[in-house]
Amino acid sequence: MSSFDRPRPWGCKEYAAWRGITEAAAAQERFKGTGPRFIKTGSRVLYDPQDVWDWLDNNKIARTDQKPTRVA
């Protein structure tokens, strides 16, 4: 598998639109460490779609009194 087989990273605007949140909310997730892993290149923020899916998978819960697990 070549590196060209991977999906291209999402910009912050693209990620926020996909999640249905504002870019400011995405920035707060990054600041608090509550969102998916991200890539910082200069002032640009990128998200690997696989990291987003991994984060979502690790935040699945079965009951409302459970806390999601955190991805390190």
Side-chain angles (χ1 to χ4, degrees), residues 10-17 19 21-48 52 55 70:
W10 297 336
C12 183
K13 186 179 286 194
E14 208 172 1
Y15 163 74
R19 283 271 320 276
I21 62 175
T22 65
E23 289 181 66
Q28 281 297 306
E29 285 181 345
R30 291 191 303 273
F31 177 75
K32 294 177 181 177
T34 58
R37 296 183 334 161
F38 60 95
I39 303 158
K40 184 87 174 185
T41 58
S43 62
R44 188 157 184 215
V45 173
L46 300 170
Y47 292 87
D48 182 335
V52 175
W55 174 75
R70 295 272 319 235

